[in-house]
């Protein structure tokens, strides 16, 4: 065990950042915390009580906004003679993240989605002198419009409270706050004269609201029950109150032009375009109606809505809306595009003259064939410089700022997207995120005003989010090998050579994707519909993963009491079995093509009757990997059985078919206990069985015929009515060790 405070001062030198110059954008000067210093101090005191219980009284907290003279957060910590730590910061978020840095680097503590390690030493380790931590980034942004569907759709207040605490500890001061907006839209549509069926036909079900909001789809998974609106509205009020109490600036929704079809009945002369189909949906659920922002009705509806938002939710003056998300605009004429953004912005300033438009820069990547420099510049310059903030949404892989002269003068936030669909599976781009934000700050005439995390789904790969959050407070890149070693120490609460070696291996392999333009959907055959055209590629050497697995397994017996360790043991074993599935799939394909029935039966039998059931048992032994929890949370929001069934269907469909007939099949795949057994294993079983029958009868394998048969399995899972466990079952160590004894030799041979 290392001395708790031994190497910490050295580390903290790197955390200190000299305050850079005054705001580049006076247009953003009015964006500041609404809560008083006293209220923010109180919020941090309460957070510490939730986190540390009685030990929280050993921290003395105060917020003093005059500590920072240029809107850049700062926190100062010092020890008192009676073993307390005094933390003073420019905002509640600054104090919370300052204390979390102290807990991490002086107390070897850790807080994550997958458990906490809070073995705080007593007395608290002493600080010599004043420790000053500050950030060069005005904004630290968090969330993606999709996160509200892929991750937080079924959350109750305790889960939200926990997430907002996590945000404060990790320095987030600009969170997206999109909950409950449909309740306000319902009021606006009623005021405009739409009838209830026209409104019901418009909203999608809860699990698909992100894409309903972005004009990608409507109706599917609905109708939204009235109780949903009430529940979400109450939740949003609590969410906003808590975010603001820390000094955060919540980002609220605005109007993009997406309208229900019923508007055409009321305003037949309106300038409305019907978009083409989105993804693989047909026009019964997509082909949205978009009101031209230049039509005076746009200003009317947009103002009505934003007035409701401000009235119900208050405002911090930053609003998000996205035009043309994954949709091609009807014209590429720069004059048209400027007029569009000018009109969208006008609908904000009509209600809030101090409005700032926060826009996701995703469209410039997803529709790059359309968005050339003249088109991008036209859209951005429709809004006065400094009154729009662009999220460079996928900057770790596809930065936009570098070929748009820093968004042609508009402020931007450098974001790590990292995850698509909330997929399970190890992934990271540590070298890119460790250097990218610093390069962006030094870019000629850089307009960077912040750093952000924009995952489509969370509760996966916690290490990436801890590193990214910490980089916001650094003045230079970290030593990644050293950072990974220290992460292992605080995640498990002890120094163990095996574990630091394992994390260094993971950081230099699976967490360091350097393949250009790599998009991290989990492509593994394990979670994809079986065929002979599956993606078997990896961006890392699986031998490194196997070495890390052995190191973690060897350390396991003495660490099983730590939830963080149990989670990582399950996760690394899951990753190895995912890679082994690919190897067995290749054996199955080779045996079939070479018409070798015995080999097919062996490879298929091992996969379907041993490897996948073992993986299901392993996942079912940890509370963080349970399908039952996701479904139970969904059902718990219902008032009656009819609503419960609707939410259950939404929750299951999103994970699997993603649409009525598999329109975005397996995009949001999860490796969870229950789902592994009743969905993925069933598909592989049918595939192997079909191949065996083909070899037996001499018939060729027809993918189309198989797809029709396997669709019945997939749909069958959504409607199977089975109740899945919400409590873990089995001994994680025993299961993991049994898997290790069986499959480690296989892994050495195969990978």
């Amino acid at each position: 065990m290392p001395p708790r405070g031994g190497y910490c001062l050295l580390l903290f030198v790197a955390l200190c950042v000299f305050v850079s110059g005054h705001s580049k954008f006076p247009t953003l000067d009015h964006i500041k915390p609404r809560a008083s210093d006293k209220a923010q101090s109180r919020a941090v005191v309460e957070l510490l009580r939730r986190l540390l219980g009685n030990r929280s009284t050993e921290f003395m907290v105060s917020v003093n906004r005059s500590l920072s003279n240029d809107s850049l957060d700062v926190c100062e910590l010092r020890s008192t003679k009676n073993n307390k730590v005094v933390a003073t910061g420019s905002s509640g978020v600054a104090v919370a993240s300052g204390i979390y840095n102290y807990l991490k680097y002086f107390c070897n503590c850790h807080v994550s989605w997958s458990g906490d390690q809070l073995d705080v030493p007593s007395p608290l380790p002493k600080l010599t002198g004043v420790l000053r931590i500050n950030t060069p980034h005005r904004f630290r942004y968090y969330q993606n419009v999709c996160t509200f569907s892929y991750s937080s759709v079924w959350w109750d207040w305790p889960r939200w409270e926990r997430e907002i605490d996590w945000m404060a500890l990790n320095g987030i001061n600009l969170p997206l706050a999109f909950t409950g907006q449909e309740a306000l839209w319902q009021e606006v549509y009623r005021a405009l004269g739409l009838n209830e069926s026209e409104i019901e036909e418009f909203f999608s079900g809860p699990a698909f609201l992100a894409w309903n909001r972005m004009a990608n789809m409507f109706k599917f998974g609905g109708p939204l029950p009235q109780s949903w609106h009430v529940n979400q509205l109450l939740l949003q009020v609590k969410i906003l109150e808590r975010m603001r109490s820390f000094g955060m600036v919540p980002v609220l929704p605005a109007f993009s032009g997406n309208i229900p079809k019923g508007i055409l009945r009321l305003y037949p002369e309106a300038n409305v375009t019907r978009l083409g189909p989105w993804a693989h949906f047909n026009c019964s659920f997509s082909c949205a109606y978009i009101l031209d922002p230049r039509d005076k009705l746009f200003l009317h509806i947009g103002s009505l809505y934003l007035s409701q938002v401000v009235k119900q939710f208050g405002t911090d003056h930053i609003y998000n809306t996205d035009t043309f998300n994954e949709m091609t605009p009807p014209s590429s004429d720069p004059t048209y595009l400027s007029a569009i953004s000018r009109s969208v912005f006008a609908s904000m300033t009509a209600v809030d003259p101090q409005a700032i438009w926060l826009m996701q820069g995703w469209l410039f990547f997803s529709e790059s064939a359309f968005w050339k420099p003249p088109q991008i510049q036209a859209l951005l310059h429709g809004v006065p410089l400094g009154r729009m903030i662009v999220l460079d949404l996928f900057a770790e892989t596809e930065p936009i700022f570098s070929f748009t002269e820093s968004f042609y003068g508009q402020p931007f936030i450098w974001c790590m997207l990292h995850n698509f669909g909330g997929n399970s599976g190890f992934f990271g781009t540590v070298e890119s995120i460790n250097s990218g934000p610093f390069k962006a700050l030094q870019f000629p005439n850089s307009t960077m005003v912040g750093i952000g995390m924009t995952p489509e789904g969370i509760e996966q790969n916690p290490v990436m989010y801890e590193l990214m959050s910490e980089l916001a407070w650094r003045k230079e890149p970290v030593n990644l090998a050293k950072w990974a070693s220290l992460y292992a120490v605080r995640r498990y609460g002890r120094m163990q050579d095996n574990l630091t070696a394992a994390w260094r291996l993971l950081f230099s392999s699976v967490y360091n994707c350097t393949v250009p333009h790599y998009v991290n959907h989990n492509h593994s055959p394990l979670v994809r519909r079986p065929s002979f055209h599956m993606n078997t590629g990896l961006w890392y050497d699986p031998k490194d993963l196997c070495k890390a697995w052995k190191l973690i397994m060897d350390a396991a017996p003495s660490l099983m009491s730590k939830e963080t360790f149990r989670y990582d043991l399950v996760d690394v074993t899951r990753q190895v079995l995912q890679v082994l599935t690919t190897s067995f799939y290749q054996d199955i394909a080779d045996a079939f093509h070479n018409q070798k029935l015995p080999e097919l039966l062996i490879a298929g039998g091992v996969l379907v009757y041993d490897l996948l059931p073992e993986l299901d048992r392993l996942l079912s032994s940890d509370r963080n990997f349970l399908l039952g929890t996701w479904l139970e949370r969904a059902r718990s929001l219902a008032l009656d059985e009819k609503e419960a069934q609707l939410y259950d269907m939404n929750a299951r469909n999103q994970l699997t078919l993603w649409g009525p007939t598999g329109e975005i099949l397996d995009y949001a795949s999860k490796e969870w206990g229950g789902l592994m057994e009743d969905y993925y294993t069933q598909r592989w079983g049918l595939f192997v069985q079909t191949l065996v029958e083909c070899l037996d009868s001499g018939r060729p394998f027809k993918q189309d015929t198989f797809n029709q048969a396997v669709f019945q399995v997939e749909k069958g899972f959504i409607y199977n009515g089975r109740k899945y466990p919400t409590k873990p079952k089995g001994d994680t160590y025993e299961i993991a060790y049994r898997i290790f004894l069986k499959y480690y030799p296989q892994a050495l041979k195969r990978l």
Side-chain angles (χ1 to χ4, degrees):
M1 189 94 185
R4 293 269 190 170
Y7 37 59
C8 302
L9 275 176
L10 277 171
L11 260 158
F12 259 110
V13 173
L15 274 164
C16 299
V17 178
F18 298 105
V19 174
S20 58
H22 285 282
S23 170
K24 287 177 268 197
F25 293 99
T27 48
L28 300 175
D29 287 350
H30 64 291
I31 306 296
K32 47 171 79 89
R34 284 176 39 158
S36 68
D37 290 356
K38 202 170 179 180
Q40 292 180 61
S41 305
R42 199 162 50 242
V44 178
V45 168
E46 287 164 4
L47 181 162
L48 293 174
R49 195 177 296 134
R50 286 189 292 276
L51 195 67
L52 303 173
N54 295 338
R55 299 294 308 273
S56 66
T57 57
E58 295 169 45
F59 291 90
M60 297 163 78
V61 167
S62 73
V63 171
N64 177 0
R65 65 188 69 201
S66 64
L67 206 59
S68 164
N69 58 5
D70 57 3
S71 319
L72 297 176
D73 267 333
V74 57
C75 182
E76 293 180 344
L77 299 104
R78 59 185 175 80
S79 292
T80 65
K81 288 197 175 97
N82 60 348
N83 296 319
K84 293 196 172 184
V85 168
V86 176
T88 310
S90 52
S91 70
V93 167
V95 176
S97 46
I99 290 172
Y100 186 41
N101 268 307
Y102 170 80
L103 286 170
K104 286 198 297 191
Y105 285 109
F106 286 75
C107 306
N108 291 338
C109 288
H110 173 75
V111 176
S112 79
W113 294 313
S114 47
D116 301 337
Q117 197 292 110
L118 290 169
D119 183 10
V120 183
S122 186
L124 288 177
K126 267 212 179 318
L127 291 165
T128 49
V130 174
L131 178 65
R132 184 178 167 89
I133 307 159
N134 45 4
T135 173
H137 302 292
R138 173 83 156 76
F139 299 113
R140 283 90 58 200
Y141 176 80
Y142 179 54
Q143 299 247 311
N144 179 308
V145 291
C146 299
T147 325
F148 291 86
S149 290
Y150 285 135
S151 295
S152 58
V153 52
W154 313 119
W155 286 2
D156 55 11
W157 170 242
R159 181 63 189 85
W160 266 110
E161 179 174 62
R162 165 85 188 172
E163 192 71 10
I164 299 166
D165 285 352
W166 181 91
M167 291 181 207
L169 293 166
N170 285 285
I172 305 302
N173 67 352
L174 188 67
L176 198 56
F178 260 32
T179 304
Q181 58 182 283
E182 283 68 32
L184 305 194
W185 273 120
Q186 184 175 244
E187 291 307 306
V188 169
Y189 295 146
R190 282 174 178 162
L192 288 167
L194 263 68
N195 61 43
E196 292 307 305
S197 66
E198 287 170 327
I199 296 172
E200 275 196 354
E201 295 241 313
F202 178 63
F203 293 133
S204 67
F208 305 99
L209 282 172
W211 302 277
N212 182 233
R213 293 164 181 171
M214 289 186 283
N216 300 132
M217 61 183 290
F218 53 84
K219 193 177 179 180
F220 178 69
L224 280 182
Q226 203 50 43
S227 65
W228 173 267
H229 293 304
V230 174
N231 175 300
Q232 296 296 294
L233 200 53
L234 290 170
L235 205 47
Q236 172 77 335
V237 170
K238 284 183 174 175
I239 290 166
L240 291 171
E241 188 276 323
R242 182 60 57 82
M243 285 175 171
R244 287 173 177 145
S245 75
F246 284 116
M248 296 177 191
V249 171
V251 177
L252 294 169
F255 181 48
S256 67
N258 176 29
I259 53 168
K261 184 182 178 183
I263 294 286
L264 297 175
R265 174 180 64 78
L266 298 166
Y267 299 92
E269 303 301 307
N271 183 357
V272 173
T273 305
R274 186 154 200 205
L275 297 173
W278 174 72
H280 297 287
F281 279 85
N282 64 34
C283 286
S284 54
F285 294 120
S286 77
C287 310
Y289 295 90
I290 298 292
L291 179 59
D292 191 308
R294 299 168 301 176
D295 190 305
K296 63 181 187 301
L297 182 60
F298 187 100
L299 185 65
H300 178 55
I301 296 176
S303 307
L304 263 180
Y305 178 63
L306 206 59
S307 301
Q308 274 283 351
V309 168
V310 172
K311 182 178 149 197
Q312 298 283 346
F313 300 152
T315 188
D316 300 79
H317 309 295
I318 302 191
Y319 307 97
N320 165 259
T321 192
D322 292 298
T323 48
F324 312 124
N325 180 67
E326 298 185 3
M327 297 290 180
T328 306
S331 164
S332 61
D333 178 2
T335 318
Y336 163 77
L337 294 167
S338 277
I340 293 294
S341 53
R342 191 176 305 116
S343 304
V344 171
F345 187 60
S347 76
M348 297 179 193
T349 52
V351 175
D352 179 357
Q354 294 185 292
I356 303 289
W357 177 4
L358 180 94
M359 184 181 86
Q360 294 197 137
W362 180 249
L363 71 173
F364 304 136
F365 164 68
S366 69
E367 304 296 314
S368 55
F370 176 90
W371 292 102
K372 301 300 180 201
Q375 284 71 31
I376 297 176
Q377 186 164 1
L379 189 76
L380 297 177
H381 281 186
V383 177
L385 283 186
R387 298 293 299 275
M388 172 187 261
I389 300 173
V390 187
L391 299 176
D392 205 344
L393 209 73
F394 193 18
E396 79 271 33
T397 302
E398 301 287 351
I400 308 292
F401 77 89
S402 50
F403 71 85
T404 56
E405 297 166 30
S406 205
F407 290 99
Y408 302 110
Q410 290 288 21
F412 78 95
I413 294 176
W414 194 102
C415 300
M416 171 186 82
L417 201 163
H418 180 258
N419 180 276
F420 291 86
N423 294 160
S424 314
F426 284 174
F427 182 78
T429 50
V430 289
E431 277 181 24
S432 174
I433 67 165
N434 193 33
S435 60
F438 302 99
K439 286 179 187 164
L441 263 182
Q442 283 145 20
F443 190 73
N445 303 312
S446 177
T447 52
M448 180 173 165
V449 292
I451 195 166
M453 299 185 287
T454 52
E456 285 190 354
I458 57 170
E459 298 176 321
Q460 40 72 29
N461 294 296
V463 66
M464 292 302 297
Y465 298 87
E466 178 139 324
L467 174 59
M468 189 67 192
S469 302
E470 197 177 294
L471 287 169
W473 299 83
R474 298 268 185 174
K475 72 168 189 287
E476 59 191 15
V478 301
N479 175 323
L480 287 169
K482 191 173 178 183
W483 192 93
S485 301
L486 293 172
Y487 175 81
V489 173
R490 62 180 182 268
R491 184 146 169 93
Y492 311 128
R494 65 182 70 171
M495 177 73 110
Q496 207 158 326
D497 290 345
N498 273 14
L499 298 174
T500 51
W503 273 102
R504 284 180 178 221
L505 272 169
L506 294 173
F507 251 47
S508 61
S509 58
V510 69
Y511 280 116
N512 189 31
C513 179
T514 54
V515 178
H517 313 295
Y518 194 89
V519 178
N520 170 38
H521 296 286
N522 189 343
H523 299 292
S524 166
L526 172 62
V527 292
R528 298 286 173 157
R529 182 187 273 177
S531 75
F532 285 121
H533 306 284
M534 305 192 85
N535 185 336
T536 58
L538 293 174
W539 62 93
Y540 61 97
D541 184 345
K543 287 187 173 57
D544 291 330
L545 174 68
C546 291
K547 285 179 199 160
W549 185 31
K550 183 175 191 311
L551 289 165
I552 288 170
M553 201 68 234
D554 288 347
S558 64
L559 280 164
M560 292 308 292
S561 62
K562 298 275 184 193
E563 182 177 15
T564 46
F565 181 82
R566 291 196 305 274
Y567 177 94
D568 290 348
L569 176 62
V570 170
D571 215 13
V572 72
T573 308
R574 175 206 54 70
Q575 187 73 17
V576 172
L577 293 185
Q578 177 182 291
V579 179
L580 277 173
T581 297
T582 302
S583 173
F584 282 107
Y585 157 68
Q586 286 165 323
D587 283 1
I588 290 164
D590 289 347
F592 180 76
H593 292 311
N594 296 324
Q595 300 194 335
K596 294 188 170 172
L597 187 59
E599 279 92 331
L600 174 61
L601 288 167
I602 290 168
V606 171
L607 180 66
V608 174
Y609 297 110
D610 192 79
L611 189 151
L612 296 179
E614 286 283 44
L615 178 52
D616 188 76
R617 282 188 279 274
L618 176 75
L619 296 166
S620 299
S621 74
D622 187 289
R623 73 178 182 91
N624 296 285
F625 297 89
L626 299 179
L627 169 65
T629 306
W630 170 255
L631 298 182
E632 176 58 36
R633 279 188 171 155
R635 293 183 72 92
S636 71
L637 297 181
L639 280 188
D640 56 34
E641 186 52 29
K642 187 182 169 199
E643 286 182 14
Q645 284 176 10
L646 178 75
Y647 296 166
D648 187 79
M649 184 284 282
N650 269 260
R652 291 169 184 250
N653 184 286
Q654 187 207 85
L655 301 174
T656 54
L657 290 177
W658 214 124
T661 56
E663 282 72 1
I664 316 182
L665 182 69
D666 297 317
Y667 181 98
S669 66
K670 306 284 184 295
E671 292 173 31
W672 285 344
L675 192 60
M676 192 56 62
E677 178 181 30
D678 281 358
Y679 183 71
Y680 301 118
T681 305
Q682 298 309 313
R683 288 203 301 202
W684 278 105
L686 182 62
F687 184 64
V688 171
Q689 182 193 329
T690 306
L691 298 183
V692 169
E693 285 168 6
C694 288
L695 282 189
D696 264 349
S697 63
R699 282 197 317 271
F701 172 78
K702 290 200 168 67
Q703 187 70 46
D704 287 351
T705 311
F706 174 74
N707 287 351
Q708 287 166 20
V710 82
F711 174 68
Q712 296 309 317
V713 171
E714 294 158 345
K715 197 173 170 185
F717 163 76
I718 294 173
Y719 296 103
N720 73 14
R722 186 175 161 196
K723 195 172 182 323
Y724 290 88
T726 53
K727 296 213 160 42
K729 183 183 171 213
D731 182 302
T732 300
Y733 176 73
E734 277 180 21
I735 298 165
Y737 188 56
R738 184 173 69 233
I739 291 170
F740 181 79
L741 290 178
K742 266 194 283 196
Y743 287 102
Y744 182 67
Q746 286 281 340
L748 288 180
K749 198 167 67 187
R750 290 168 169 272
L751 305 179

